[in-house]
Amino acid sequence: MLDLVGAGGIGVVLSDSMNLFEWLRVAIALLAIFVVVTVVEIVVVNIHKRLI
């Protein structure tokens, strides 16, 4: 799951923001990661329900 998020630009933005102490951008990047992971989990659960 983290590879999906880290492979995109979200990880780069998070790293740069932390290095530059831009805490609003850090919060937005973390929120984006949370949203992406949550949506993917919902999709995976629904796929599993249909297969089982």
Side-chain angles (χ1 to χ4, degrees), residues 10-39:
I10 297 174
V12 174
V13 169
L14 180 62
S15 177
D16 289 344
S17 299
M18 289 178 70
N19 290 337
L20 298 173
F21 300 105
E22 296 178 358
W23 300 118
L24 181 60
R25 291 183 77 186
V26 171
I28 292 170
L30 290 174
L31 182 62
I33 291 171
F34 177 75
V35 168
V36 168
V37 170
T38 303
V39 168

